[in-house]
């Protein structure tokens, strides 16, 4: 705003009148100094190293503009989940898998017509070609431009490792028909989920896979990189060794399983959190919860809409899935009302540490 903050530990004459900011002078005198050279000014004192260090930090913070969510390219919105109406892979031959699945293609086209612009998939979902075709068909019908749709895919644990990751990345881009740059690629799991696991092997796979994603990002092949199903110890290990911090972490989050400590840790690191299974796979007990029903009645919204609204207000991107066109429309219309802080706290109090998906704590 044209003002410069002055730390209390710096003397008031620390800012030279020859700089553009001269807080030690009255406003009129400050303006006149640029025109009247005859005006005498106090000589800036000698600063200690500590004062110089903090003065440099002060200049840096004022010189660099803040980065918004929009600048990051991952705007907070309702995402479309696409797991898994198609058959999961049954062969190691890529030509035998990822055949066009009409259910996914129809689901994605319906969602794009509603207004969804973030589509979540994975190599293991066996539907990347279907999603690529749906997006291309929407572009051909002039519904949108290809750049409007942000697609996230994931590296399956069988494809972890430096060379394997790059190969799997290329295959996903080919299936999705993305020539220039994929929006987001995640590591699907932090290692193999075999009964007999090797901690050293899993750690090496995580490190090599992340290094490959970092190189792909630096080469401009993918705009954002991240992880999925990482718990706190996996995240701390990654942050201690990475060259590039993850942009996104995707994890199971719903009112009965909120992972608030992990969410807070990631958000403090500037990592965007995406919620998979925000409706707990349609858990009946959750969808009939009295607190959620009370809010549903107050706002004349469905319980899923209340949950999605809660996540958005917690700065978490919800990834919701449905093969019903009506439900896709309903889930997307969760942004025209706002919960109060008291209501957010009511939902926070519902946490039961009740996980419905696979527990990644089991991956060493």
């Amino acid at each position: 705003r044209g003002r410069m903050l002055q730390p209390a530990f710096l003397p008031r004459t620390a800012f030279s009148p020859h700089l553009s900011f001269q807080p030690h002078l009255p406003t009129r005198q400050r303006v006149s100094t640029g025109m009247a050279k005859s005006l005498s000014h106090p000589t800036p004192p000698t600063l200690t190293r500590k004062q110089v260090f903090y003065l440099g930090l002060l200049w840096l913070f004022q010189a660099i503009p803040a980065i918004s969510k929009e600048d990051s390219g991952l705007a907070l919105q309702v995402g479309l989940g696409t797991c898994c109406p198609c058959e999961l892979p049954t062969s190691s031959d890529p030509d035998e898998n990822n055949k066009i699945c009409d259910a996914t293609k129809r689901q994605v086209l319906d969602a794009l017509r509603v207004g969804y612009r973030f589509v979540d998939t994975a190599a293991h979902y066996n539907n990347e070609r279907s999603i690529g075709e749906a997006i291309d068909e929407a572009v051909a019908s002039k519904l949108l431009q290809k750049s409007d749709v942000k697609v996230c895919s994931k590296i399956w644990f069988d494809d972890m490792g430096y060379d394997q990751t790059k190969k799997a990345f290329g295959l996903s881009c080919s299936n999705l028909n993305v020539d220039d740059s994929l929006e987001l690629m995640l590591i699907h799991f932090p290692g193999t989920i075999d009964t007999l696991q090797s901690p050293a092997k899993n750690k090496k796979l995580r490190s090599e896979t992340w290094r490959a994603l970092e190189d792909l990002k630096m080469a401009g092949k993918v705009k954002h990189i991240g992880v999925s199903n990482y718990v706190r110890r996996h995240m701390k290990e990654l942050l201690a060794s990475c060259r590039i911090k993850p942009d996104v972490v995707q994890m199971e989050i719903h009112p009965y399983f909120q992972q608030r400590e992990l969410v807070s840790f990631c958000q403090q690191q500037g990592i965007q959190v995406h919620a998979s299974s925000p409706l707990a796979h349609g858990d009946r007990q959750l969808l009939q919860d009295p607190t959620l029903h009370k809010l549903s009645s107050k706002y004349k919204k469905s319980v899923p809409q209340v949950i999605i609204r809660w996540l958005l207000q917690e700065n978490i991107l919800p990834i919701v899935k449905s093969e019903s066109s009506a439900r896709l429309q309903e889930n997307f219309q969760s942004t025209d009302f706002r919960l109060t802080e008291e209501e957010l706290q009511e939902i926070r109090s519902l946490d039961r540490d009740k996980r419905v998906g696979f527990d990644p704590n089991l991956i060493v």
Side-chain angles (χ1 to χ4, degrees):
R1 302 299 183 192
R3 297 178 181 175
M4 190 172 187
L5 300 178
Q6 180 174 344
F9 60 80
L10 288 176
R12 292 190 59 78
T13 54
F15 294 91
S16 168
H18 305 293
L19 298 176
S20 58
F21 294 105
Q22 304 163 34
H24 62 286
L25 296 178
T27 304
R28 287 181 181 274
Q29 193 176 353
R30 205 180 309 159
V31 173
S32 67
T33 54
M35 299 181 287
K37 295 183 179 179
S38 60
L39 186 64
S40 61
H41 303 292
T43 303
T46 302
L47 302 180
T48 66
R49 289 190 177 188
K50 179 179 178 182
Q51 289 171 338
V52 170
F53 172 76
Y54 283 109
L55 186 58
L57 285 181
L58 177 65
W59 173 84
L60 184 64
F61 285 133
Q62 297 193 93
I64 301 176
I67 299 176
S68 67
K69 287 187 177 66
E70 288 72 20
D71 293 328
S72 74
L74 291 168
L76 200 61
Q77 58 190 297
V78 181
L80 174 70
T82 62
C83 179
C84 295
C86 308
E87 293 182 9
L88 294 179
T90 57
S91 168
S92 59
D93 184 353
D95 291 330
E96 290 296 318
N97 295 311
N98 246 307
K99 295 178 180 177
I100 299 303
C101 170
D102 291 336
T104 293
K105 185 176 177 180
R106 183 173 61 252
Q107 174 201 28
V108 173
L109 273 171
D110 287 345
L112 294 176
R113 293 188 185 106
V114 167
Y116 288 83
R117 293 296 181 266
F118 185 91
V119 180
D120 178 82
T121 184
H124 190 64
Y125 296 171
N126 203 27
N127 61 11
E128 290 175 327
R129 286 185 185 175
S130 308
I131 292 169
E133 281 212 0
I135 294 172
D136 288 344
E137 191 168 313
V139 171
S141 65
K142 298 185 178 179
L143 174 66
L144 47 78
Q145 295 182 352
K146 197 157 188 171
S147 60
D148 295 335
V149 186
K150 314 301 182 185
V151 179
C152 166
S153 193
K154 308 179 191 74
I155 302 292
W156 189 238
F157 58 74
D158 287 342
D159 296 320
M160 292 179 73
Y162 187 85
D163 293 332
Q164 299 94 310
T165 293
K166 285 197 165 184
K167 181 179 178 181
F169 176 85
L171 183 58
S172 288
C173 289
S174 175
N175 287 332
L176 290 164
N177 196 20
V178 177
D179 298 324
D180 49 357
S181 177
L182 184 64
E183 185 68 26
L184 174 61
M185 180 62 84
L186 308 179
I187 301 175
H188 206 148
F189 281 98
T192 62
I193 55 176
D194 302 332
T195 304
L196 298 176
Q197 299 180 52
S198 165
K201 179 183 177 182
N202 273 345
K203 185 174 182 178
K204 182 180 179 182
L205 285 174
R206 287 192 291 271
S207 175
E208 290 182 352
T209 303
W210 187 254
R211 185 163 57 88
L213 291 183
E214 288 176 321
D215 288 348
L216 288 165
K217 181 174 182 177
M218 288 189 287
K221 300 293 185 181
V222 60
K223 295 177 183 175
H224 304 283
I225 55 178
V227 295
S228 174
N229 296 302
Y230 270 44
V231 297
R232 187 180 177 89
R233 58 186 168 84
H234 298 136
M235 290 300 301
K236 293 183 78 171
E237 173 192 284
L238 173 59
L239 291 171
S241 61
C242 65
R243 292 173 294 166
I244 301 175
K245 284 203 305 186
D247 299 302
V248 168
V249 58
Q250 186 181 124
M251 64 183 86
E252 179 183 333
I253 304 175
H254 49 79
Y256 282 1
F257 188 69
Q258 299 184 25
Q259 302 207 71
R260 291 178 63 190
E261 184 180 343
L262 181 56
V263 168
S264 176
F265 173 78
C266 292
Q267 290 179 336
Q268 287 173 8
Q269 296 291 328
I271 303 169
Q272 190 180 65
V273 178
H274 293 189
S276 61
S277 307
L279 306 180
H281 297 326
D283 181 83
R284 182 171 295 182
Q285 191 175 15
L286 173 66
L287 297 180
Q288 294 179 352
D289 185 272
T291 297
L292 298 175
H293 265 276
K294 179 189 70 173
L295 297 173
S296 170
S297 299
K298 173 183 175 180
Y299 290 105
K300 295 181 172 54
K301 296 289 184 179
S302 68
V303 168
Q305 286 176 311
V306 171
I307 294 173
I308 293 167
R309 180 70 246 182
W310 163 68
L311 286 166
L312 289 170
Q313 287 185 229
E314 298 282 22
N315 290 317
I316 297 172
L317 189 151
I319 298 171
V320 291
K321 58 185 180 182
S322 177
E323 294 178 50
S324 161
S325 298
R327 288 285 175 82
L328 287 171
Q329 178 83 33
E330 177 187 292
N331 291 339
F332 193 73
Q333 294 175 336
S334 303
T335 59
D336 58 354
F337 71 105
R338 188 170 185 81
L339 300 168
T340 67
E341 181 58 36
E342 292 76 14
E343 290 164 345
L344 292 175
Q345 192 58 46
E346 283 187 78
I347 299 178
R348 291 172 192 144
S349 69
L350 298 178
D351 194 3
R352 302 180 182 182
D353 201 29
K354 181 182 178 182
R355 189 188 290 273
V356 297
F358 173 79
D359 186 357
N361 281 291
L362 299 175
I363 298 179
V364 297

